[in-house]
Amino acid sequence: MKTKGRNKPQTEKTNITLKLDRDLLREIKILAAKQDTSISALVTMEIEKLVKGQGGYEQAMKRSMARMKKGLNLGWQKPSSRDELYDRKILR
């Protein structure tokens, strides 16, 4: 891991090649310029958001599934007989 600037750790980076429509590329250049950043930084930020969002979804899904398997205790107890099931004090 390399450090640069304010002791901020920087990981080794790898170049990739993208094929984009010319109109889309023009719009991305404008967007990056408005945000005072590079196309590379803009694309990197968006990909990081996607990856982090997916990880959060996976964790939430695991927590949800664990809660469903555990179930909720609603205080219900199985009646000991059919008479007890239909014994309603309100109807008396």
Side-chain angles (χ1 to χ4, degrees):
M1 193 177 290
K2 300 176 185 177
T3 58
K4 182 180 180 181
R6 301 178 205 155
N7 294 330
K8 183 178 178 184
Q10 186 179 21
T11 58
E12 188 175 328
K13 305 209 185 246
T14 303
N15 289 330
I16 63 169
T17 302
L18 297 174
K19 291 185 179 187
L20 301 172
D21 181 70
R22 287 181 193 265
D23 294 333
L24 177 60
L25 181 58
R26 185 179 329 108
E27 293 297 320
I28 292 171
K29 285 180 180 180
I30 293 168
L31 182 62
K34 285 181 181 177
Q35 295 186 15
D36 195 30
T37 189
S38 67
I39 293 173
S40 179
L42 191 66
V43 171
T44 299
M45 287 187 295
E46 292 303 315
I47 291 173
E48 285 175 349
K49 285 181 194 175
L50 285 170
V51 170
K52 287 178 183 176
Q54 181 65 26
Y57 173 81
E58 295 293 331
Q59 290 174 353
M61 178 65 84
K62 286 179 183 177
R63 284 192 308 268
S64 178
M65 294 302 289
R67 286 181 188 142
M68 285 192 285
K69 286 179 182 177
K70 182 180 176 184
L72 296 175
N73 182 359
L74 301 176
W76 184 81
Q77 295 178 354
K78 184 177 178 180
S80 59
S81 68
R82 184 175 187 275
D83 292 333
E84 183 183 338
L85 176 65
Y86 292 100
D87 184 22
R88 298 183 185 156
K89 296 174 185 173
I90 294 174
L91 297 177
R92 291 183 190 174

